[in-house]
Amino acid sequence: KDGRKELKSFTRNIKLDHVFFTHKGRSITINDVSMTFEKGRTTAIVGPSGTGKTTIVDLLLRLFDPDKGEVKIDGISLKEYKLASWRSKVGLVSQDTFIFHDTIRNNITLGVDSCPDEEIVNAAMSANAHDFILGFPEKYDTIVGDRGMRLSGGQKQRIAIARAIIKKPDILILDEATSALDNISEGLVQEAINQISRDRTVIVVAHRLSTIIDADKIIVVENGRVMEEGTHT
């Protein structure tokens, strides 16, 4: 159910407060999880596959509500806010990026009503995508094919990052954004992520510690529970 409050901004943090969640027909996925994401900081969630990392992202996006506990924005339950006002503040780059059978321009501006060419180019440059886009004869008007079949995995991810940037999100969520890439593509995507992470609240989900060494805080999740947290050191 949609909330009634309009979320203008948040000033302190986002919290999971003693959250429990179970997918239908499964054992407990998230078991009494509490964690805090401070405004303007990068927080990483790491752990083996199947431990509930992506479910935490789903709860933050309010694709699901907790069975028990609360997701809170500055101490107020996420359920009290209008979904659209919350999600407009969030940019998501996931492992499985959906690219539409359309132009590169329209794939970047997906969900944005109108956008000048200068902003599209700036977003692509920030995402390390501009140079490869110019390599196509039709450049930004290139039709990329069904599910982006004319693009490599790394190019799709950089389009997804440009798509997130153009929303100017306060919060950036990266859910295994580089895990399916080769080393060269991962380097280019990681470079783009580092650039757009400045001055934003960033939540990174990963299973490779190498990608989140510089995070302000790392939270280790195992079997649906928080096992430890701290810096990489």
Side-chain angles (χ1 to χ4, degrees):
K1 293 180 181 178
D2 213 359
R4 295 186 176 185
K5 291 183 178 179
E6 196 77 33
L7 181 66
K8 297 288 191 286
S9 64
F10 78 104
T11 57
R12 300 194 311 275
N13 54 44
I14 305 159
K15 279 188 178 181
L16 270 68
D17 188 10
H18 295 286
V19 166
F20 292 77
F21 179 78
T22 306
H23 288 283
K24 286 182 180 176
R26 298 192 208 169
S27 57
I28 293 175
T29 310
I30 300 296
N31 191 355
D32 195 15
V33 163
S34 294
M35 56 179 67
T36 303
F37 307 97
E38 301 291 346
K39 183 179 172 69
R41 299 294 183 121
T42 295
T43 305
I45 305 169
V46 300
S49 297
T51 56
K53 301 190 301 295
T54 294
T55 302
I56 290 168
V57 171
D58 292 342
L59 291 164
L60 288 168
L61 291 170
R62 214 184 157 209
L63 298 176
F64 301 109
D65 284 328
D67 298 330
K68 283 171 63 181
E70 294 278 2
V71 180
K72 295 178 178 179
I73 313 297
D74 287 342
I76 297 170
S77 173
L78 185 54
K79 293 178 186 176
E80 294 189 29
Y81 290 109
K82 292 179 180 176
L83 274 173
S85 76
W86 166 239
R87 290 180 183 161
S88 68
K89 304 284 187 294
V90 181
L92 173 69
V93 182
S94 62
Q95 179 180 345
D96 186 19
T97 299
F98 199 94
I99 302 293
F100 290 88
H101 182 47
D102 205 335
T103 62
I104 289 174
R105 179 191 312 277
N106 289 344
N107 269 290
I108 291 174
T109 59
L110 182 70
V112 178
D113 291 334
S114 62
C115 203
D117 285 350
E118 184 182 355
E119 281 191 30
I120 297 168
V121 170
N122 286 342
M125 290 176 76
S126 296
N128 269 344
H130 182 66
D131 289 347
F132 85 73
I133 293 169
L134 294 186
F136 289 110
E138 300 89 0
K139 301 180 174 57
Y140 283 83
D141 294 315
T142 300
I143 301 285
V144 294
D146 191 33
R147 289 184 173 267
M149 65 183 186
R150 293 183 67 183
L151 303 174
S152 70
Q155 288 171 338
K156 289 178 190 176
Q157 286 301 76
R158 282 178 273 165
I159 294 293
I161 291 169
R163 184 188 285 169
I165 292 169
I166 215 155
K167 281 181 70 178
K168 301 182 177 69
D170 295 336
I171 302 148
L172 187 64
I173 299 179
L174 306 161
D175 186 4
E176 301 278 17
T178 65
S179 64
L181 306 180
D182 59 61
N183 287 341
I184 293 172
S185 296
E186 182 185 19
L188 288 166
V189 172
Q190 193 63 48
E191 190 179 299
I193 287 169
N194 292 342
Q195 185 168 329
I196 64 169
S197 295
R198 295 180 195 133
D199 307 319
R200 281 195 174 92
T201 305
V202 183
I203 300 168
V204 186
V205 175
H207 65 257
R208 282 188 293 205
L209 278 168
S210 60
T211 59
I212 45 89
I213 284 174
D214 296 327
D216 296 298
K217 181 168 66 178
I218 299 169
I219 300 170
V220 181
V221 177
E222 198 168 330
N223 297 323
R225 289 180 178 273
V226 174
M227 304 307 286
E228 56 182 323
E229 61 179 72
T231 62
H232 183 268
T233 304

